[in-house]
Amino acid sequence: MADFIFEANIAHYTKLLTTETDVGKIAMIHKLMVEERAKLAEWHAKNPRPKAAE
């Protein structure tokens, strides 16, 4: 469930970047996106997905 939240936040930031024109806001959105991607990577490292049953 946590990975869904991280992915939703990343998608939201990506969408914001398509319309934002203020340089300061763009920089902040990029910073937030990098942080969310790091959180997602850390979460995946601590919670590996189970292998599919054959």
Side-chain angles (χ1 to χ4, degrees):
M1 179 61 137
D3 58 338
F4 171 79
I5 295 169
F6 298 134
E7 291 169 358
N9 286 340
I10 292 166
H12 176 69
Y13 297 143
T14 300
K15 185 176 178 183
L16 287 176
L17 287 172
T18 64
T19 59
E20 188 56 62
T21 58
D22 182 89
V23 176
K25 289 182 182 179
I26 290 171
M28 179 56 73
I29 294 167
H30 275 291
K31 178 181 179 284
L32 292 170
M33 190 180 310
V34 167
E35 290 173 358
E36 286 300 302
R37 286 182 174 154
K39 289 177 192 176
L40 179 61
E42 182 180 347
W43 190 88
H44 279 296
K46 291 181 179 178
N47 301 284
R49 294 182 181 179
K51 294 183 179 180
E54 294 181 18

